[in-house]
């Protein structure tokens, strides 16, 4: 923990790590969740976990959802993010309990909104999502899941059933001390606008997307 000079020149400790700030009921179209708000003092990001029911400690149905303004709020068909968020929220309600961790600071796999839009413009010109990031001099995936693991531990969760097609999420959680008892596929039917993007995620980012084999007719 580092120190800053506060008022009157006195040294005040700088907070680090993840701090739970607030619990609030959040009725939604899916069901009544509890929104648990956190501050990540290391990055300065505000984070939230949506908790449904009595989640317990082991094998908790969980989604780590990376912030995606274009998909989550605007219904973009460039990706499947909005549909995945919708499916995850429905899944935990159907299960009777579960957690959706909404990870801010993850826009565009961690490169930010404007950089993501620049990458999308390059993809419209023919580059794939990996090539576009690299052409901008940016990492292919800059996301950090440390905060998600800390939030889950604060909620008392020791192991999860992780709703994800991305093996790197599983690896990251386990590296940060949260066991993954099962990886649960979260497969969204592709459309003409996102099939190339999804194929790139499967072929170049190792996402498990077996359902794409059935839609070879999409260009």
């Amino acid at each position: 923990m580092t120190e800053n000079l506060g008022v009157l020149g006195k040294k005040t400790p700088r907070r680090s790590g993840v701090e739970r700030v607030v619990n609030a009921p959040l009725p939604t179209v899916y069901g009544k969740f509890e929104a648990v708000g956190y501050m990540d003092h290391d990055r300065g990001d505000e984070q939230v976990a949506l908790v449904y029911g009595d989640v317990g400690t082991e094998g908790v149905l969980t989604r780590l959802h990376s912030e995606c303004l274009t998909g989550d709020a605007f219904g973009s068909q460039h990706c499947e993010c909005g549909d995945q968020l919708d499916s995850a929220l429905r899944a935990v309600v159907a299960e009777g309990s579960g957690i959706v961790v909404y990870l801010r600071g993850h826009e565009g796999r961690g490169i930010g909104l404007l950089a993501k839009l620049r990458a999308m413009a390059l993809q419209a010109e023919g580059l794939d999502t990996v090539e576009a990031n690299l052409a901008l001099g940016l990492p292919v995936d800059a996301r950090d899941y440390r905060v998600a693991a800390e939030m889950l531990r604060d909620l008392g969760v020791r192991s999860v059933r992780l709703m994800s097609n991305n093996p790197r999420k599983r690896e990251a959680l386990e590296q940060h001390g949260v066991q993954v008892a099962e990886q649960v596929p979260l497969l969204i039917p592709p459309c003409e606008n996102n099939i190339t993007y999804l194929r790139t995620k499967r072929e170049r980012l190792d996402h498990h997307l077996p359902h794409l084999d059935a839609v070879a007719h999409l260009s």
Side-chain angles (χ1 to χ4, degrees), residues 76-168:
S76 169
Q77 290 190 328
H78 182 269
C79 62
E80 80 278 43
C81 300
D83 288 333
Q84 285 190 315
L85 179 59
D86 175 82
S87 295
L89 290 166
R90 293 184 187 280
V92 298
V93 171
E95 177 86 1
S97 65
I99 301 172
V100 175
V101 179
Y102 193 86
L103 291 164
R104 304 187 68 200
H106 277 204
E107 189 78 54
R109 297 196 301 274
I111 64 175
L113 177 60
L114 295 183
K116 180 177 82 169
L117 293 176
R118 292 188 182 101
M120 288 168 62
L122 291 177
Q123 289 170 65
E125 296 175 2
L127 298 186
D128 67 32
T129 183
V130 171
E131 294 166 343
N133 281 34
L134 295 176
L136 293 169
L138 298 170
V140 173
D141 193 337
R143 290 174 291 182
D144 180 2
Y145 296 98
R146 169 196 55 83
V147 64
E150 292 191 30
M151 291 164 69
L152 289 171
R153 283 197 295 270
D154 177 75
L155 293 167
V157 175
R158 291 197 292 265
S159 73
V160 299
R161 291 160 51 223
L162 183 65
M163 289 185 282
S164 178
N165 310 316
N166 184 356
R168 297 178 188 179

